[in-house]
């Protein structure tokens, strides 16, 4: 008798498991029709592309707290309104503006008053040299260890030139960027310890060109702040070659950049209310600020469009999400993340339940998969849904995902995700004058919008990240 009961239970368990798998398969079959429809809508609409053109042409330089940023906020607010979500509003945050000032002048001094001009841009947050500029011999290093070995005896009174290239052997250029970024973010204070008077930093890009790439730097010691300037990779190679034959080469630097008092600015937020669980919120966003050299098209106007178009695509396809979709266009990812901090603080204060934080901040390349910072069970649950996305080239599932802004939600226990675009050309544009609308491909934008909509649709429907 006991044997019969056990056998019955095993058979029942098997059947119920089989039935569950079968119903998932049938459901996914239906979903493949919905996802095909989302892709069709995205690939036949230029909405996101047109909005990006408007943003980048009317508000190309959007450093937090600047006039360009304020214009960008107005444009994005109106674009979101036009998508007709349930609500659009501004969330205040105090921006800490930094002003580049006059065009930087940087050159290698040659005999008889001649010079070789270098393509240079001050790093965000740097102090200026003063109107007269400064000139000194240059000492080249590729690491803080090399700098330490040279010591004060070889560094004092000189310009330290950081020349570590992004490693081309790494498949993901983002990893090369991560390994080389220390020279930009922390190089000035480290060099100042040994008496350097300024730093030149090789631009963080994985090709040789004449675009200087700016980016944020920070002073560890605010009592000893020295100017820090990026030079193009072409110029870094040139300077390095010349230093090998003549280590007494001198470089002149003149920058007039400075930090300004804090001003009120805003995150721009829109919501599409959920049908079944409106109190659970899917946060999806990009950052509305950009560096001041290009138009902030890849970084990160296109990320804003990816998030915004989810609203259009859901509405166009008559999809009612279970949870509330909240599009957050974050202020100030590039320097102090004041927008992301204000958003996370508000979520915490209100005790809101954020189901997931999704961020697009890796450019407008064709999507290849997903990054995910979540529990192994949540990742496995999502992996089971991914087969349905294979026809759209979305194969990869990387452990680790999200973005700088939604990263502030992690301490609240929120899983974070991002769509992974092809990474190989992103650093050509990143933080440089090359980051323009002209370098945006409409079809890749459309594919990015569709991938974000498909992601939100699936994780909402299947409760992938919890109940
Ligand atoms: Zn960015």
């Amino acid at each position: 008798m006991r044997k019969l009961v056990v056998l019955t239970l095993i058979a029942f368990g098997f059947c119920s498991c089989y039935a569950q798998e079968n119903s998932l398969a049938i459901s996914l079959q239906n979903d493949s029709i919905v996802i095909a429809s989302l892709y069709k809508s995205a690939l036949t609409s230029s909405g996101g592309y047109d909005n990006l053109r408007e943003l980048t042409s009317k508000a190309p330089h959007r450093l937090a707290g600047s006039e360009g940023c304020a214009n960008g906020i107005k444009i994005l607010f109106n674009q979101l309104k036009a998508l007709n979500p349930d609500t659009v509003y501004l969330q205040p945050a105090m921006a800490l503006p930094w002003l580049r000032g006059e065009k930087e002048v940087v050159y290698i001094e040659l005999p008889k008053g001649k010079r070789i001009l270098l393509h240079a841009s001050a790093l965000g947050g740097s102090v200026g040299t003063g109107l007269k500029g400064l000139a000194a011999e240059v000492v080249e290093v590729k690491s803080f260890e090399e700098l330490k070995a040279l010591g004060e005896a070889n560094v004092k009174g000189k310009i330290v030139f950081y020349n570590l290239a992004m490693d081309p052997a790494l498949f993901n250029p983002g990893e090369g960027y991560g390994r080389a970024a220390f020279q930009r973010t922390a190089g000035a204070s480290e060099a100042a310890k040994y008496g350097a008077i300024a730093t030149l930093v090789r631009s963080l890009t994985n090709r040789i060109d004449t675009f200087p790439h700016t980016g944020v730097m920070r002073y560890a010691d605010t009592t000893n702040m020295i100017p820090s300037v990026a030079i193009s990779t072409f110029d870094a190679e040139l300077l390095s070659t010349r230093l090998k034959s003549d280590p007494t080469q001198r470089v002149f630097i003149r920058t007039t950049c400075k930090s300004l008092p804090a001003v009120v600015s805003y995150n721009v937020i829109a919501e599409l209310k959920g049908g079944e669980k409106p109190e659970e919120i899917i946060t999806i966003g990009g950052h509305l600020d950009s560096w001041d050299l290009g138009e902030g098209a890849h970084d990160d106007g296109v990320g804003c469009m990816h998030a915004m178009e989810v609203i259009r695509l859901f509405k166009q396809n008559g999809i009612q999400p279970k949870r509330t979709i909240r599009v957050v266009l974050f202020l100030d990812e590039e320097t102090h993340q004041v927008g992301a901090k204000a958003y996370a603080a508000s979520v915490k204060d209100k005790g809101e339940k954020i189901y997931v934080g999704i961020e697009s901040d890796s450019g407008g390349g064709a999507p290849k998969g997903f990054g995910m910072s979540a529990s192994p069970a949540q990742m496995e649950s999502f992996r089971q849904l991914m087969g349905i996305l294979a026809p759209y080239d979305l194969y990869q599932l990387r452990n680790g995902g999200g973005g700088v802004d939604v990263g502030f939600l992690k301490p609240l226990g929120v899983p974070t995700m991002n769509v992974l675009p092809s990474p190989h050309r992103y650093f050509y544009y990143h933080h440089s004058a090359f980051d323009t609308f002209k370098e945006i491909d409409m079809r890749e934008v459309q594919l990015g919008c569709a991938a974000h909509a498909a992601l939100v649709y699936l994780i909402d429907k299947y409760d992938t990240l919890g109940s």
Side-chain angles (χ1 to χ4, degrees):
M1 178 66 190
R2 188 189 285 172
K3 206 172 183 182
L4 185 66
V5 170
V6 170
L7 281 173
T8 309
L9 283 174
I10 289 171
F12 180 76
F14 174 78
C15 287
S16 93
C17 245
Y18 177 76
Q20 269 176 22
E21 274 178 23
N22 219 18
S23 72
L24 177 65
I26 291 166
S27 181
L28 283 174
Q29 256 175 27
N30 294 334
D31 292 329
S32 70
I33 296 166
V34 176
I35 286 168
S37 180
L38 285 170
Y39 267 82
K40 188 178 175 189
S41 299
L43 292 172
T44 52
S45 160
S46 63
Y49 184 72
D50 291 341
N51 279 344
L52 183 58
R53 180 194 288 114
E54 185 189 22
L55 176 70
T56 53
S57 61
K58 293 183 181 167
H61 310 302
R62 303 186 298 278
L63 257 184
S66 67
E67 198 186 326
C69 183
N71 288 339
I73 287 168
K74 278 184 210 149
I75 291 165
L76 290 165
F77 185 89
N78 289 331
Q79 289 178 349
L80 277 167
K81 275 258 178 209
L83 294 174
N84 201 22
D86 294 305
T87 172
V88 184
Y89 57 97
L90 299 176
Q91 181 175 55
M94 294 304 289
L96 303 162
W98 173 84
L99 193 66
R100 182 170 301 283
E102 293 169 36
K103 176 78 196 102
E104 301 84 347
V105 180
V106 179
Y107 55 80
I108 300 172
E109 292 182 342
L110 298 179
K112 299 179 187 167
K114 292 190 174 165
R115 58 185 67 168
I116 300 173
L117 277 173
L118 304 181
H119 304 84
S121 68
L123 294 180
S126 174
V127 294
T129 59
L131 291 175
K132 284 188 177 164
L134 57 85
E137 285 185 12
V138 177
V139 55
E140 177 181 337
V141 297
K142 289 191 170 67
S143 67
F144 288 165
E145 289 71 33
E146 262 184 74
L147 181 69
K148 190 178 177 186
L150 285 170
E152 198 174 322
N154 296 296
V155 172
K156 192 167 182 169
K158 294 185 181 171
I159 296 168
V160 167
F161 166 37
Y162 289 102
N163 193 27
L164 176 66
M166 281 171 57
D167 184 353
L170 297 167
F171 177 77
N172 184 356
E175 210 182 320
Y177 174 80
R179 290 190 197 180
F182 70 91
Q183 47 194 353
R184 188 195 79 205
T185 54
S189 280
E190 202 62 24
K193 277 189 202 168
Y194 304 100
I197 60 166
T199 61
L200 293 172
V201 183
R202 181 191 181 98
S203 283
L204 295 173
T205 177
N206 48 332
R207 71 173 186 175
I208 301 296
D209 63 24
T210 54
F211 289 102
H213 294 240
T214 189
V216 75
M217 57 83 65
R218 302 193 195 287
Y219 293 109
D221 175 5
T222 50
T223 63
N224 189 11
M225 299 193 286
I226 62 171
S228 195
V229 176
I231 58 172
S232 76
T233 47
F234 176 86
D235 292 314
E237 295 283 304
L238 175 81
L239 179 58
S240 182
T241 304
R242 293 185 66 92
L243 284 169
K244 282 185 183 78
S245 57
D246 178 7
T248 66
Q249 294 276 311
R250 287 169 63 86
V251 165
F252 173 87
I253 305 173
R254 181 182 182 276
T255 57
T256 60
C257 46
K258 60 182 175 187
S259 296
L260 300 173
V263 294
V264 181
S265 191
Y266 305 93
N267 293 327
V268 184
I269 301 179
E271 290 179 4
L272 199 58
K273 209 144 185 73
E276 282 178 36
K277 301 177 177 181
E279 71 289 352
E280 290 193 19
I281 295 157
I282 293 170
T283 294
I284 178 166
H287 63 85
L288 62 86
D289 62 306
S290 77
W291 283 101
D292 55 337
L293 300 175
E295 298 171 358
H298 279 283
D299 187 14
D300 183 29
V302 76
C304 295
M305 300 308 144
H306 287 153
M308 289 160 64
E309 285 297 296
V310 173
I311 295 176
R312 185 200 306 274
L313 293 171
F314 267 54
K315 287 185 85 97
Q316 229 172 51
N317 285 277
I319 299 170
Q320 160 80 69
K322 282 157 75 170
R323 297 171 176 82
T324 295
I325 297 175
R326 179 185 286 165
V327 172
V328 183
L329 309 180
F330 292 97
L331 170 75
D332 187 33
E333 186 273 345
E334 296 291 5
T335 56
H336 302 279
Q337 298 86 44
V338 298
K341 288 172 188 167
Y343 178 65
S346 152
V347 164
K348 195 176 173 191
D349 287 352
K350 293 177 185 163
E352 289 178 333
K353 178 170 169 50
I354 307 296
Y355 175 68
V356 63
I358 301 168
E359 183 163 355
S360 172
D361 187 17
S362 303
K368 299 289 175 193
F370 305 93
M372 193 167 186
S373 291
S375 71
Q378 288 168 328
M379 281 193 78
E380 193 43 46
S381 174
F382 181 64
R383 194 189 302 279
Q384 284 178 19
L385 302 175
M386 279 187 66
I388 199 174
L389 298 172
Y392 307 100
D393 279 359
L394 297 168
Y395 296 109
Q396 238 191 102
L397 180 58
R398 188 188 293 165
N399 191 1
V404 169
D405 294 308
V406 296
F408 286 90
L409 298 171
K410 281 185 183 173
L412 306 176
V414 176
T416 55
M417 294 188 75
N418 62 316
V419 172
L420 299 172
S422 172
H424 302 291
R425 282 181 287 138
Y426 181 54
F427 290 95
Y428 297 2
Y429 317 113
H430 191 248
H431 298 181
S432 81
F434 192 48
D435 184 5
T436 60
F437 182 74
K438 213 166 123 276
E439 301 305 322
I440 292 282
D441 180 87
M442 183 169 85
R443 189 162 176 90
E444 288 180 344
V445 174
Q446 292 167 326
L447 290 168
C449 295
H452 282 83
L455 168 65
V456 171
Y457 172 74
L458 285 176
I459 59 174
D460 180 43
K461 177 167 178 185
Y462 288 99
D463 303 326
T464 316
L465 299 157
S467 58

